[in-house]
Structures are given as structure tokens and as C-alpha cells.
Amino acid sequence: MHPDWLRAEWRTPGVASLMSTRSGGGSVAPWDSMNLGVAVGDDPRQVARNRARFEQALGAAPVFMKQVHGTRVLTLTYEHLALPMQEADACITSEPGLACTVQVADCLPVLLAAPGAVGAAHAGWRGLAGGVIDATVQRLCEAAACEPAQLECWLGACIGPDSFEVGADVLEGFGVQPAAADPLRFKPLPHGKWLANLPLLARDRLAALGVTRVSGGSWCTVQDRSRFFSFRRERVTGRMAASIWLC
């Protein structure tokens, strides 16, 4: 594992996770260096080498998805390792050694642990507003036969509250009238835009679902250029990955 990568501390037994940064791979600019995305213009052979390094660091088998900012949740089995990438934005599994994995470059990775099962969700504002966390929590609780209060959650690196400039359509997506926006969640700017706090909005959703053990979410992909890829900052760039698995 590269020393710059992010690792959560889990109180749930038998759970491990890892989130890559842009360090530790072999890709050249503008995908330098640990790009894990296959559809961003990078050399496919180098992406394969980067993914092999990532898998070696995990000590588990990551399953990547074709993410579309939706709410579909996959239930992973080892059969998925032999299938083409499935279109979904979240996944769960109760299979040890199989890593639920999401790719990000500003969107929020949400990792969830339950007794005997884990899950991961790719939460941009569209997915978050559409209910991707809700769907993942529901499926994970069903798989683990537990309640949301028994879950543990870690939020990875994403676009931070001082960088995520949005329009009124985003507020409306969350059912918020611009004139009544809470400045902690949508800070008004003088030119008719707002700064959205994506990690706080995710914490709100988790709290409403009954998930109270939440950590992370303090890193900004836009502001920390040396450490993280950011699509909003660079447009052509790489992708990081966040994985969670049962040991």
C-alpha cells in the first residue's frame, strides 16, 4: 500500500478498506500517476498495471462498476469477476475477499460495514439526491439481517464545501428552495450560485436513515492538487478508487 492512500479504522470486526490517491502508479500526465479509470483516455496497458497494484495492496479482489450517477445496487458474488463491468453506482457483498469498489474524481465514495456484509456507493449530487445511499443501506441491512443503527460508515475524499459551486437545479434536486437554503449546506454566492457541502448532505441522509456511526469526509479533491484527481479542476484526469471488503 502506498503511504499516501487513505485507510479507515473500522470497529466492525472483519472489515477492511482502502482508498487510493493519485500517487503510487505509473501513468503519465494528465493521468499521473495512479489512474484506475479505463474510460478517461489513459493507456489501457498502464491502467491494467495500476489496477494490479491496487489489487495487490488490497489483498482482495476489487469489482469495478460502470457508474452512471444512478441508484442501482449490485449484490456481488465471485461470478462478477468474470463478467463485463455492470452498470450500477453501488454494490454490497457478504463474500469474504471480494471488494466492493467505487471510482471517483470529485464524487463522494461512501463505504458501509455491517455484521457480515459490506457495501460501497458512488455519491455525486445526482445519486445522493436520487437515493443511492438509501438503496445501499436498505440492501446491506437486508443482506446482514440488521438495522441501520448497526451499520458503520466512512466517507472518502470528494469535492469540498469551499469548492463545489452549484446552481439552483442542485438545490431543487434536494427539495430545497433557494430562498430558504441552509448556508451550512448551500452557502450563497453573490452571482446567483451556491457552494454545496456534499459530505454534510450525505451525513444528513445517513442520519435520516438511522446510520449514526459516520466518519471521514474531510478531504477536498479540488483543493489538494498534489494528492487527488479532480474532474472539476482538470476535466481530463484520472480516477481514484475506494474499496471495502470482508477479511
Side-chain angles (χ1 to χ4, degrees):
M1 181 186 77
H2 194 278
D4 190 52
W5 295 0
L6 308 178
R7 187 184 289 275
E9 296 294 331
W10 298 93
R11 289 178 287 174
T12 305
V15 173
S17 67
L18 189 64
M19 180 174 179
S20 66
T21 64
R22 70 182 304 156
S23 302
S27 295
V28 300
W31 306 280
D32 51 317
S33 65
M34 192 61 182
N35 168 46
L36 297 170
V38 296
V40 295
D42 195 3
D43 180 351
R45 295 167 298 180
Q46 184 55 58
V47 176
R49 288 191 286 268
N50 289 345
R51 286 192 171 193
R53 292 180 189 180
F54 183 66
E55 182 169 351
Q56 183 178 24
L58 297 185
V63 177
F64 292 87
M65 300 175 289
K66 183 179 179 181
Q67 298 169 186
V68 293
H69 298 279
T71 61
R72 185 186 179 206
V73 182
L74 295 178
T75 298
L76 300 181
T77 68
Y78 275 93
E79 293 179 355
H80 284 90
L81 295 175
L83 296 174
M85 280 199 303
Q86 303 292 295
E87 187 174 287
D89 283 86
C91 54
I92 66 161
T93 191
S94 55
E95 300 274 6
L98 200 59
C100 296
T101 302
V102 293
Q103 295 184 73
V104 292
D106 284 332
C107 291
L108 177 66
V110 179
L111 304 185
L112 292 152
V118 293
H122 162 245
W125 78 262
R126 289 181 180 85
L128 182 56
V132 69
I133 290 180
D134 309 54
T136 309
V137 166
Q138 179 180 345
R139 289 283 290 278
L140 187 58
C141 287
E142 290 171 354
C146 72
E147 297 298 321
Q150 295 174 263
L151 302 185
E152 189 177 0
C153 180
W154 182 80
L155 307 178
C158 71
I159 188 169
D162 294 325
S163 301
F164 192 17
E165 185 174 310
V166 302
D169 59 323
V170 175
L171 279 69
E172 291 165 2
F174 285 93
V176 175
Q177 293 299 317
D182 178 355
L184 288 177
R185 290 156 178 81
F186 297 101
K187 181 180 178 180
L189 295 171
H191 52 283
K193 299 285 187 177
W194 291 261
L195 289 173
N197 191 329
L198 191 60
L200 183 54
L201 291 167
R203 284 175 176 270
D204 288 345
R205 192 66 242 145
L206 289 160
L209 294 166
V211 181
T212 58
R213 295 189 292 166
V214 184
S215 61
S218 61
W219 306 272
C220 179
T221 50
V222 175
Q223 293 191 359
D224 199 340
R225 179 184 295 269
S226 65
R227 194 175 194 192
F228 302 115
F229 294 119
S230 169
F231 178 78
R232 177 162 289 215
R233 184 185 63 231
E234 298 169 330
R235 309 306 290 181
V236 178
T237 192
R239 297 294 185 271
M240 301 167 292
S243 292
I244 186 169
W245 65 97
L246 295 171
C247 303

